[in-house]
Structure formats: structure tokens, C-alpha cells
Amino acid sequence: MNGDANFGIIADFLVLSPILLALRAIYPRAVTIKVSFLFVGLFAIYSVAPRYLLFYLTYWLIIFGLQWGMRFAANASAFSVLSKIGTAFLIALALSPMLIWKIWPEPFVQWSTATFAKLLWLHAPSFAPLDAIAPRIAPIGLSFVVFRALDLLIKIRLDMLKPLSPLTLGYYAFFAPVLAVGPVIEYEEIALKDKISRTPASGDIAVGGFRVALGAVKVMVVAYGLTYLTNLLWQGGEASWLAGWGALFLYGLYFYVNFSGYSDLAIGVSRLHGLRLKENFNNPFMKTSPQAFWASWHMSLTRWCQRYVFIPLGGMRASRQYIATFGTIMIIALWHGISWNMTIFGLYHAFFLLAHRYIESKRIKKKQRLSNTRLTRLVKSIGVFVYVAFSIPLFSLPIDSIISFYLRLLLGGGEVS
Amino acid sequence: MIGVDFSKFADANFSHWSWRRLGGAFVLCLFSIILIDQLAPRQAWKSRVGVQRQEGTVSEQVILRWRDRRDPRGFTTPEEIGFSSDRFGLAWLSGSTISIRSDGPEHNFRGRSSYELTDVFAAQYEAINGKDLWVHEYMIQGARTGDMRRAVLHAAHDPAIDAIVIALNPVWLFNDWAIYTKSNQRASIVSMKGAYLSDWLAALKYNRPSSLLGALTSRYFRFVRDRYPNSRRLPRISGVGFPLTKKTEPPDMQYVNARELFPNYVFQAPSSMKKYQKHRSQMLRQTVETNGESAKFFARMLRTLKSSNKPVLLYVAPLPEGIQGDPEGLEFLKHWIEKVKNFASIYGGPNIVLHTDSIYGVQGEIVHRDIAHLHYGQGVVDEVAGLLESDLGLTLERREASDLYGNAASENHAKD
């Protein structure tokens, strides 16, 4: 996915919002919002790469069926082993497109492009002209889509939700504000009562408008400025030791501002319609520990992993908390890509999270009190920022440059290959 | 340390806003935007027109009317080119069939191995109907019928243009799987003079809502209209970006093509057309039996040209001689030509001359690079000039020009 497509989907949704609001005013029922939002979501995918309309329709059709499989598994508690095996199978099935893509990205993109383009061009030729000028890319937002589908299925398995009707599932599946760059929303965040007000509350529109403006400024102004300054310091790799660190910190800020800006946009455009998505960032670089950082960075993903990885691994029990923390952070890392880079990223953060937990548990045992002055909080948050910023280049470094990059950063000077 | 998430701030300060306050804020924002847009210094950054062209024009009489394909503004305005009614404006609309890539020094034009037929024409003719000639080049790389539609609409309504020449591409004209080239300009059709309702409907189908809104509001807001050139003005650091240290080429964007999707559909070419197999298959895959999207574009092009009342020459870019040894290809072209003629008779008018014979070759010499591209195209220029005189009744004044081609030309031109 490129930046244009990410921003374009949100911009399209924003442009179409007056029409969506007008439809709601004319017929204030949940069905109006569901149908109109579904249409916009489908159009968003069509406008990026029409072939993936077929891909996602097929995927969500399978998820629609799996809902009933999960329902059946939930009711078959008498056969608990079978039920567990069945549940695991259905989850693996829902997870498989993302896994295959993460493990074999290039073949997956080639296969999905050729397969779905061919079907589309043959059976819906009027979609072909736009598809012919859409680059070969992975299905947009696949990681987000798969985790949203899993959330739904697991909640049905746990009897927290009933299987969704085709229309409601479509509304959830193609909810445009989160299609490209998340957050990983839960169905409950956008669930609607049958009768709704003719208009969203004026306060919701005001808050939504502010969040959209804030997101746009972050993505288009601040992130641009940070990229510029980063590269100005970096000098194409010729930066001094000090400037190299400066570039590292600015890059860390860029990463945060850009991502949280897109979250603001998604949350803001949803709020314009009275839909309150959960927050995805909560000033993570103001936090004073690795654990607090992860509880406020890409929070929708962290929440997901906490529910479905940390707790099942026994993270709430003292004896299992280390293994659960390790498992959770590795899943968070590998969700971004199954690669050596992300493995190192996961191990690095696991080390700090576990070390922090260990030190904290020792401190609590010894009943030591921590200094909590403004200054100590500032020092700690600077420490968290440095620790996180240090790992962010792993998202974009080629594997063969990792060692030389970090050696150069730590030791200074030298040619980096 | 640093935080830019203001969710609590937003809820605390905006969630209690009334409709009246919200309306007031909206009007204030809109007013501020309009005010800033109007008061901003009018030293608008001028995009170098036609930046797609690799080496610029050879002749000063060639005016590039097309812009970088990323620039959503579309074509250049008469004001930008310094429009003068004292000159005769001849628009030449085409895809890359007028782009020449020479195969050796003997086909270089004034020392250039890359040039356009518009350069050759402008070098050889200095006036039409007694007025100094300006050749307005609308050359869209990879142009498909949907792109040509925009060019036609623009040229037909441009006061600087007195006559129009259009090269029809025998490979793409009726190809419904490829009606646009990759560009950010598709949506601009909704802000162009003379666009039909059917153009709008096509625009709705093939553009993002945000692009359409951008195109519509670009008439009224300079910051919307000039968003591409302004974005290019922003300072950028060239070279390697953090954290990389080696220049890495951005991955070449790959696209889907029919040949790859449907290998069984590849039409086997006879020996005379073997080396054009790829494009020949594309050509034969056009929809001539029914009227698809591309045919609708073509019909609208003809309607616009008719209503412009400007003299128009439509010629078909010549295919290689090998087509004569290709019975299947010839049979297809028979239907293709019938369809073009049929459309011209239904939607065209007396001001439009259609010349389809050129599909089988032209009188003068040409050398093909592939099925529709040339290494040398003097023959096409001669053919077009002849038709402008004989069929459109224009009076062309030839320029004293010798040694245009080859090494000698290169040396003479350098001395000039």
C-alpha cells in the first residue's frame, strides 16, 4: 500500500460523508448506514485495485460461513476436544491468507493479482480498465482485515457475539475509515441500534472535524517536516555520529506522528458519523516504561494481542507472565512481517519488556518506592523514546545492512555497506 | 517527552459544541481558506510544461500542451503558452506513435535521436493560411482512447487552436481492457469545457471521489489547482533517505496485462508479423463487434470535434508492411476500418476528414520500431501535410530547410 492509497481512501470517505449523512437524515435507520457504508467500502477497494474486490468478497464470504462453524463449535462443548480442534482449524483457515502473504510475499502478490484480475477481467470487463492501471500490490490492509475477522470469529466462539447477518458483516468488513491503515477495530465499536438519530450529535461532528484536521496536519505537514529534517541530518549516510543519532530520533518521531495521524483521520471521519472508535495512540513517547509504551502505541493491535495471545498464554498469572509477554510481543512484531528484521525487533522489545517486569517485581518485593518527580518522569520518558527509536529503523533496513547500520550508530563513522 | 495525541483535549473542548457554534466555525474556516487563497502572492510556480518529454522540443514553433502525467491540472492553458491570434495553431494529438526513436545517425533529426513528428513538421512548414505556424503538441505517452478524449475536448475548445490533427492508434482505439494510461489527470475532464453528461458518468466510474472533488474545485481554489506544482516546490533532500546508506532503486511498479492473464488468447502471428506478436495480439483483442467503453469515448470525441467546427484530420498510424502477409490481421482491420468509418459517418461532421488508408502505409518513407512506433517518420509528416492541403483546404508554406536528418544536420544545427 502506498501513502496515496492510504490517504485517498480516507479522503474519499470524507468527500462522500455529506451524501452518507444526507441518506441517514432521510431514512434514519441502521440499515441506511450499513448499506451506504458498505457501498463506500467496496468502492474504496475498487478505486485502489478492483481485482481485490473479488478477493475480499471471497474472503468475507468464507468468514460468513466460518461464523456458523464457530457457533457450532461453541455449542459442541460436550465434545470439547473436537470443538477445540475445530476452532483451531477455523482460525487457521481465517488466518491463512495473511500467513501465506507474510511468509511468501512476492509469490502471494503475483498469485492473487493474476487470479483475481483474470476473474474480474473475464466476468466484469468494465472493471478491467481501472485494474489495468492499478499496480501489483498486496490486498490493501490485509493484516488489519484478518485480525478483525479473527476477533469476530473468536467472540462468536466465546459466545460474546452472535453470527452477523450478511449486511452487518459487510458493513463491518468494508468499513472504509479503517480499511487501509487500521486501527484493528472490533465489531462492537461500530455496532448500531436499529433506530438512530437523524443526525449525529453536533459535538461528535465538532470532535470528528478536529480529529480529521489534526490527522491531516500530522500526516501532511509534521510528518513531511520530520522526514525532511531527518534526511537533512542523515546526509545520504554521510552524517556525523551525533547527526546520525539526531536523524534516528527524528525518524522515530516521524514514524509515530505519521501513524498516529492516520489513526486520527480514521477516528475523526468515523466520529463525524457518531461512531466512536477506540483510541489507537495515547502519547506513547510520554510514557515512562516499556510496558506503558506498548499499552499506548498502536493500542488496537496491543488490545487484540492481549485478548487473544497474552491472556490465553496465562499472562494474568505470575508464573506465566514472562512467557506470555514474550509470546505477545513476538506476535505483535511478526504481524508486521515474518522476517528476520521483525524477529530482531520482537526479541529486542521482549528483552526490555521482560527486564522491566523483572526489575519491577523485585522492586515491589523489596517494597522500594520509586521517585516520581517531574524530572524523573522526564528522564524515564526520554529513556523510553531512545529505546523505541533505536528499533524503528528495523522496519526499513535491508537485512544485510542491519549490523553495519547499528555499528555505525553506536561507534560512529565508517563506511556503511 | 513528546506527545501529539489530543483525544482528551478534543473531547473536552469540542464535544459540547452546539450546531450554531459548529456552523459558525465551518463558515469561519471556509472564509479563512478563501481569504488565504486570494491573498497569497500570485507568483504561481509554473510547471515546466511537457516535462515528460525527455529532451525538450527541437523547434521553437512546437508548443507542448501536455504536462507531467502526475500533474492533475491536465493540459496547459492559452495564457500559459502566450496565446496569440496572429498565429495559426495546429494541434497534433497523439500517443507515442509520433515519438521517434532513431535507429542510427542517418535517422537522427538535427542531431537528436529522440524527437517527435511535430518537430519535423514545424521545421518544414512555417505558415498555414498566411499565418505563422505554431504546432500544439498533445502527445500523451501511452495514450489510450480515454486520454485522447480529454485531449480532444481541450483542443476543440482552446482558442489558440485553429485546426486539429489526430493520430488514431490501431492497437488501442477500441481496446476496452485499456482505456486509460496511468496518470493523475483522468478526473480533470469534469472541469473541462464541453464535457458531456456521459463524460461525467465515465469519470464517476473511473475516478476517486476525492480526485473528482479536486478537479471540480480547482477552478475556484488556486491551492487546489496548483497542488502538484506546489508540492514540487517543497524542499526535498535528494539522495539516500534514512536509514539507508545505499541508493536503492524504488521497485519498478508492475501492472497487469492481458497477455499475461490470458496466454491462451495470444493470437499466433504469421512470419511477416512474428516480431510484432505482442502488440498484434493486443490489436486483435479490440472490441469491434460491439460498442464498449472505448467506442463510446470515440463517439464523444467525434461529436466534440464536429461541434467545434474546426478543420480536423483523423489519420490512422501506419502499421508495418508485414501486415500484408497476415490474412487474419487484414480481415480484422477490415472490420476495424468499417467501424471507424461508421462512427465517423454517424457522429462526425463536414469539418472532419477521416483517412484510414494510412493504416497500410504512407507514400513516403518510414521505418518501424514496433507495430506502431517508428525509427523514422518523414513519410507520415508528408502524408499529413498533403492531406491538410488536399482534403482540409489549408495552404501550407514550406520552409527552406535542408539537412534535417543525419550527421550533417547535427553539425549544421549545432552551428546555428
Side-chain angles (χ1 to χ4, degrees), chain A residues 7-177:
Chain A
F7 200 80
I9 289 178
I10 303 269
D12 291 343
F13 188 81
L14 201 57
V15 167
L16 293 173
S17 281
I19 299 172
L20 299 178
L21 289 169
L23 291 171
R24 171 186 175 151
I26 293 166
Y27 190 66
R29 293 282 188 281
V31 69
T32 314
I33 291 195
K34 287 177 184 174
V35 171
S36 58
F37 275 52
L38 171 59
F39 181 78
V40 172
L42 291 170
F43 189 79
I45 294 176
Y46 164 77
S47 62
V48 175
R51 68 193 82 115
Y52 287 128
L53 266 181
L54 281 183
F55 175 86
Y56 277 126
L57 285 170
T58 309
Y59 180 74
W60 284 103
L61 196 65
I62 292 169
I63 296 297
F64 179 73
L66 294 188
Q67 287 187 114
W68 298 98
M70 280 298 195
R71 183 83 175 147
F72 179 76
N75 291 335
S77 55
F79 311 98
S80 61
V81 176
L82 273 179
S83 164
K84 281 178 184 167
I85 293 171
T87 303
F89 174 74
L90 297 180
I91 288 176
L93 203 60
L95 195 60
S96 56
M98 187 182 101
L99 272 183
I100 294 168
W101 171 47
K102 302 271 182 198
I103 298 170
W104 299 288
E106 197 51 37
F108 178 79
V109 169
Q110 295 297 343
W111 170 83
S112 59
T113 300
T115 306
F116 292 97
K118 194 169 179 171
L119 281 169
L120 188 83
W121 289 37
L122 269 183
H123 300 293
S126 67
F127 284 21
L130 205 55
D131 204 56
I133 48 177
R136 287 165 188 272
I137 47 170
I140 53 168
L142 183 57
S143 306
F144 293 99
V145 166
V146 168
F147 268 34
R148 281 198 285 127
L150 284 177
D151 184 70
L152 179 71
L153 293 177
I154 295 170
K155 281 179 176 158
I156 292 170
R157 173 67 181 81
L158 297 174
D159 220 8
M160 293 163 69
L161 277 179
K162 297 214 163 7
L164 304 181
S165 69
L167 177 61
T168 308
L169 183 69
Y171 161 66
Y172 174 57
F174 296 99
F175 188 72

Side-chain angles (χ1 to χ4, degrees), chain B residues 366-384:
Chain B
I366 53 173
V367 179
H368 272 86
R369 182 155 58 102
D370 58 39
I371 200 163
H373 298 112
L374 303 173
H375 286 306
Y376 176 70
Q378 181 61 52
V380 175
V381 172
D382 295 341
E383 186 96 352
V384 166

Side-chain angles (χ1 to χ4, degrees), chain B residues 10-86:
Chain B
D11 274 312
N13 289 283
F14 297 101
S15 60
H16 59 276
W17 273 30
S18 64
W19 284 107
R20 184 176 292 184
R21 201 166 178 185
L22 193 61
F26 179 76
V27 170
L28 192 68
C29 284
L30 197 64
F31 180 72
S32 308
I33 289 170
I34 293 170
L35 199 67
I36 292 168
D37 191 59
Q38 292 302 313
L39 295 181
R42 292 201 174 258
Q43 47 188 28
W45 184 82
K46 267 198 177 179
S47 167
R48 196 157 60 86
V49 294
V51 286
Q52 273 179 300
R53 217 179 198 218
Q54 292 168 346
E55 296 181 58
T57 59
V58 181
S59 165
E60 282 180 9
Q61 281 74 45
V62 176
I63 311 296
L64 303 182
R65 303 305 303 269
W66 43 289
R67 299 184 202 263
D68 187 315
R69 65 174 70 217
R70 291 166 298 180
D71 190 336
R73 290 178 299 174
F75 302 101
T76 54
T77 61
E79 295 75 38
E80 279 177 282
I81 59 161
F83 159 59
S84 159
S85 57
D86 299 339

Side-chain angles (χ1 to χ4, degrees), chain B residues 7 20 28 40 90 97 123 150 178 210 261 281 287 302 307 359 365:
Chain B
S7 55
R20 184 176 292 184
L28 192 68
L90 178 75
T97 57
R150 273 190 311 108
S210 49
L261 291 182
S281 288
T287 319
L302 290 165
S307 61
I359 198 168
E365 190 193 350

Side-chain angles (χ1 to χ4, degrees), chain A residues 27-32 34 192-197:
Chain A
Y27 190 66
R29 293 282 188 281
V31 69
T32 314
K34 287 177 184 174
L192 299 164
K193 288 179 187 153
D194 184 42
K195 280 193 177 178
I196 51 173
S197 58

Side-chain angles (χ1 to χ4, degrees), chain A residues 12 46 136 202 224 234 283, chain B residues 17 205 210 235 244 254 260:
Chain A
D12 291 343
Y46 164 77
R136 287 165 188 272
S202 55
Y224 162 78
W234 186 236
N283 298 311
Chain B
W17 273 30
K205 193 169 165 187
S210 49
L244 303 176
Q254 293 183 334
E260 172 204 7

